Structure formats: C-alpha cells, structure tokens
Amino acid sequence: VNFIYVSATQLSSCDVSLKMEDAVSSAGDRDTATTSTATAVGCPSETAMAGKADVCRGCPGKELCLSQGGQDADQKFIDVRMNAVKRKIIVLSGKGGVGKSTVAATLAMALAKEEQAKVGIVDLDICGPSIPKLMSVEGMKVVNSPYGWNPLISPYHKIKVMSVGSLLQESDNAVVWRGPRKTSLIKRFIKDTFWGKLDYLIFDTPPGTSDEHLSVVKALANTRPEGAIIVSTPQEVALATIRKEINFCRKLNLPVIGLVENMGGFVCPCCQEHFSLFSESGSVKKMAEEYEIPFLGTIPLDPRLVSCCERGDDIFQHFHSSPAARALTRLAETLHRI
C-alpha cells in the first residue's frame, strides 16, 4: 500500500484530505492493479479546530488550515445576503463555446419578463466576462454605498448585474489572477453587493470545474442553493465533459436541476425549417435519462438570438415569437414550476 499526500494547494480549502493509491498485483500477473481513493476521516477543516486537532499532525494542509482559521469569517455576512434570495441557480458547462452565458442571460430575461420575477445575475467568469455585453450594461461602473456595492441595473426588466467587467478601468484589460484572488472577488460579489430581496439569483460560471465553481458552491452551502443547470450542445465531445460536471455536482452535494441542450439544430429564419448541425438532436436528453436527471428543453441555433446577443438586445422585445424566444420562455416556465 503506497500513501501519496496531495498538497493543500491542489485541493479545495473545504476538502483538505489525503489520497490513497492501493496498487495490488498478483505474482502471476503484474499488470493487474486496482486504485482506490479515500478521504481522511474526521478532518476538522471546517471547524475552529482546523490545523489544531490531533488528527492534523503530519497533514500537509495543516499550515493552510491554521492560516485560514478554520471557519470563514465572511460566511455569516454571506448567509445574511443570500437568505434574502429565494432561489439561487448556478449555470454550468463542461466546455466553452456551448452558449452557457447566452442561456444564463436570456433565462434571466425570460424569468423577469414572463414570470414577473425579481432577478439578479452574477458573472463569475473572472477572466472572460460577457454578461455586461449580453445585459447591455457595458460602460456602467459599480458604485459603492453604505449598504455595499450597488449592482448595475440592466435596461431589460430591471435585472441586477454584477461582473468583473464593470470593475475594470478598460474593458480590454486582461485579468491575470490566481485562485485565491478569484475566490476573494467571488465572495465580495456575494457578500458586499446590495442584492436586496430577489426571487432568482443566477450565477454564470466559466467552463469546467475549478476555483470559481468550488468557491461559489462553498459560499452558498448554508443557504441551500436551488442547484445547477448544466448546458451542453449535442456534440459528443461536449457531452463527455457534461458527465464530469454531473459527477462534480454529486461530489459537492449540489442538486442538478436539469440539463439544457443548446444549439439543438438550426432554424431557417425564412422558411422555419429545422436542420441538425451537429450530432442528432436529442443526445442531451438521452444523457439526462441515463443519469435520471430532468431534461429542461432544447434551444435551437437561431440567427435572431445571435444578433440580439451581439448587440446586447432583448430577444423577447424584438423577436418574441422566434423559435429561440419560445424555447427560452418554456425553459423559464419549467424552471418556475420546479
């Protein structure tokens, strides 16, 4: 049995653990091996005894736990802000380019318009923020007040918006940050922003499963987030990463609200005929059935939706009867009923 210690910087701060690799080979066949992973039992990383308990002796994450002091001092302030929000939804995707931010932004518009809900959206894509463009708040600056940062107000249905793109002096400035700085800013988006009472707060995350995802899930843990919506295209390469997203959610005990198939075919704006551009439409639905997860619907690739996103317009105002707008309205109605 070989024990391999993983440094604390390689793991999330809420899961400082050791991994055990158990290689078992028989005398007759040295190629036969099994690998198992175990988490340290009784790890006090989330308590005041983090780094101080007897079990912490010899742990490579001891110094990190001591420096963090166990419990997060900001957590009670985060809980106060988030308890005023009825439903907190995290939008995920395994790969970039599947239209996750487009779905997050237009879903916020649909909920605000069709369900008359008070909606906010947080752009957690620190390095590549696109929500300011989609919500038409580019050029607006965040103002500090005695109650915290005032979120930007989108001209579309008064949706509240917070993004790092609105904190930069120049929109073209690159954000080159390591994990701890990203985590600190995400906590400020949640803790220091004056969200007020909301029906929905949507978190638009970057692709994959990294610091941003771990930070927001941990921050929202005490306030019972509604769960995650996972967005994918019908391509097999995109579906392969969705399996990782589902496993990520299950490991963090984050409920999966459902899967959304984006770009599920092309709708001709002239004749309204439907064409499949990628794999056969319905692949995401089959995966939802495989994992026993609700399938929330298919959004077609619609040129009118593309043009609205490029200009920062509201598709429900300009093309409310388009196939994409109808699909997004059905998605909002489904989400509202869940």
Side-chain angles (χ1 to χ4, degrees), residues 64-141:
L64 178 63
C65 286
L66 285 172
S67 66
Q68 292 181 338
Q71 294 178 331
D72 190 345
D74 293 330
Q75 190 61 53
K76 62 179 180 180
F77 301 106
I78 292 174
D79 294 346
V80 169
R81 293 282 194 197
M82 291 297 100
N83 278 326
V85 180
K86 291 181 181 178
R87 306 182 77 179
K88 297 164 281 290
I89 298 172
I90 303 172
V91 181
L92 304 173
S93 72
K95 293 186 71 66
V98 300
K100 170 188 49 58
S101 296
T102 298
V103 171
T106 51
L107 175 60
M109 295 179 191
L111 288 168
K113 181 179 184 296
E114 303 299 330
E115 306 301 334
Q116 302 299 309
K118 295 180 179 179
V119 183
I121 184 167
V122 188
D123 190 353
L124 298 184
D125 196 341
I126 307 299
C127 297
S130 55
I131 292 299
K133 176 72 172 181
L134 296 171
M135 301 303 299
S136 194
V137 295
E138 275 189 315
M140 299 184 187
K141 297 301 179 182

Side-chain angles (χ1 to χ4, degrees), residues 310-327:
E310 290 293 326
R311 298 193 307 266
D313 289 339
D314 179 5
I315 188 173
F316 302 100
Q317 178 180 343
H318 296 279
F319 304 105
H320 64 277
S321 61
S322 66
R326 292 199 302 268

Side-chain angles (χ1 to χ4, degrees), residues 185-198:
L185 182 62
I186 289 170
K187 286 167 60 178
R188 292 207 64 184
F189 280 169
I190 302 173
K191 173 179 70 77
D192 294 337
T193 302
F194 183 47
W195 292 107
K197 293 183 178 180
L198 294 176

